[in-house]
Amino acid sequence: MPKAPVNGIELYYESTGEGFPLLLAHEFAGDFRSWEPQVRYFSRNYRVITYNARGYPPSDVPADEDAYSQEMAVEDLRGLLEHLGIDKAHIGGLSMGGSLALNFGLTHPQMAKSLIIAAAGSGSTNVDAWRDNVFESSRAMEEHGMAAMTDYSRGEARVQLRRKDPRGYEEFSTQFHSHSGLGSALTFRGVQGKRPPVFALEGQMRALTIPTLIMLGDEDDPCVEPSIFMKRCIPTSGLVMFPQAGHAINLEDPDLFNRSVQDFLTAVELGKWARRET
């Protein structure tokens, strides 16, 4: 079982295929298994790296709340790449992982050849209500484990996956509810609950020069405004919106997701991805 010693903990990771590295970071409700449709597709031409964030077994689950933050997640990712001997990679993620990809690009731009930011920005439009919900849910997970999050896995931006792919939804739900209640609670509170909203990153995003693909489902309401804002701010960005799609777009519409990312990566590698003059 491959693990990387990073910042005082060990992260479980998988590396599949050969070629230029493509790293994919998972959402709060997912883990490395959530990227299976992408690993099978992209590992034909890329070295695809997936991993479990701290708090997600078989990665370590620190019991200290101060061990969880978006800044620490960024440094965990940097440490993982360094452990693997990777100086530069395509960096992608969905939801929590998409926010991580953006902030990694802002913090360590020299290590990112491109950024893929999917379904990111939840909590940016109504920060106080979002944080109240996060802290309430985290307490419930600490007390009752993942059983407390049944409504989360059935939310308005999850019904699309259940409608399109019932078997895939059951697999997603089973995996989600197998997570560590403690790790998930501390992740929810320390990462999602305390990270800055996308709108607070305007100045940094306007200075970003890394080719960036922003992706979202048109029924993923909390992410619509933040995604459009990212598109308007990042001069090297493009925006793809999936029709009648919710949050887990890589699982809902894997073919469209993979084709969109493949077209983006090809444009980046050929030097054809444009920068918008502002």
Side-chain angles (χ1 to χ4, degrees):
M1 182 177 291
K3 290 188 176 183
V6 173
N7 298 319
I9 62 164
E10 290 194 336
L11 294 180
Y12 175 79
Y13 69 90
E14 292 191 354
S15 178
T16 308
E18 298 179 354
F20 193 84
L22 167 62
L23 182 138
L24 299 171
H26 64 81
E27 63 157 315
F28 168 75
D31 55 43
F32 77 96
R33 296 170 292 181
S34 305
W35 292 111
E36 187 62 24
Q38 286 67 52
V39 172
R40 289 180 180 272
Y41 179 86
F42 287 103
S43 62
R44 298 165 185 255
N45 297 302
Y46 294 87
R47 179 186 182 186
V48 181
I49 298 150
T50 56
Y51 71 106
N52 271 12
R54 62 171 63 208
Y56 290 76
S59 293
D60 287 351
V61 182
D64 182 1
E65 181 178 339
D66 291 337
Y68 297 81
S69 68
Q70 185 155 262
E71 293 77 14
M72 182 58 72
V74 166
E75 293 312 305
D76 283 351
L77 174 49
R78 178 190 58 79
L80 175 60
L81 292 174
E82 290 179 350
H83 172 78
L84 295 172
I86 296 172
D87 297 324
K88 200 164 195 171
H90 297 297
I91 305 294
L94 184 129
S95 191
M96 179 177 78
S99 180
L100 171 59
L102 171 61
N103 282 272
F104 184 85
L106 296 175
T107 307
H108 300 292
Q110 74 284 359
M111 299 184 72
K113 186 175 180 68
S114 74
L115 302 175
I116 302 158
I117 303 170
S122 295
S124 294
T125 54
N126 193 337
V127 178
D128 290 340
W130 165 259
R131 288 178 175 166
D132 287 345
N133 177 262
V134 164
F135 295 140
E136 180 180 349
S137 296
S138 66
R139 287 192 294 270
M141 282 185 279
E142 285 180 308
E143 294 176 5
H144 306 291
M146 298 309 294
M149 296 297 282
T150 299
D151 288 344
Y152 183 91
S153 63
R154 296 175 180 172
E156 293 180 354
R158 303 288 180 180
V159 296
Q160 298 83 358
L161 176 59
R162 184 167 53 183
R163 182 184 72 241
K164 295 174 184 178
D165 184 1
R167 186 181 181 93
Y169 173 80
E170 289 303 321
E171 184 175 58
F172 152 78
S173 182
T174 298
Q175 291 174 359
F176 174 49
H177 287 94
S178 72
H179 293 164
S180 163
L182 175 63
S184 295
L186 296 179
T187 298
F188 216 32
R189 190 156 66 237
V191 180
Q192 282 94 322
K194 297 178 182 179
R195 69 189 179 199
V198 166
F199 305 121
L201 304 175
E202 178 176 357
Q204 294 169 268
M205 291 193 294
R206 290 193 182 280
L208 191 63
T209 60
I210 302 168
T212 301
L213 180 66
I214 302 160
M215 312 171 77
L216 79 153
D218 63 354
E219 296 176 5
D220 189 6
D221 290 343
C223 295
V224 172
E225 290 182 40
S227 295
I228 293 172
F229 185 78
M230 283 188 278
K231 166 58 189 171
R232 288 172 173 165
C233 290
I234 301 172
T236 49
S237 68
L239 173 64
V240 177
M241 185 174 286
F242 290 22
Q244 294 194 332
H247 198 58
I249 50 177
N250 69 306
L251 298 177
E252 286 182 39
D253 298 301
D255 290 343
L256 179 57
F257 187 96
N258 293 348
R259 290 199 309 271
S260 299
V261 171
Q262 182 64 75
D263 287 348
F264 167 66
L265 296 180
T266 300
V268 170
E269 290 159 3
L270 293 176
K272 300 291 188 180
W273 188 257
R275 175 188 175 93
R276 185 179 72 256
E277 297 301 328
T278 58

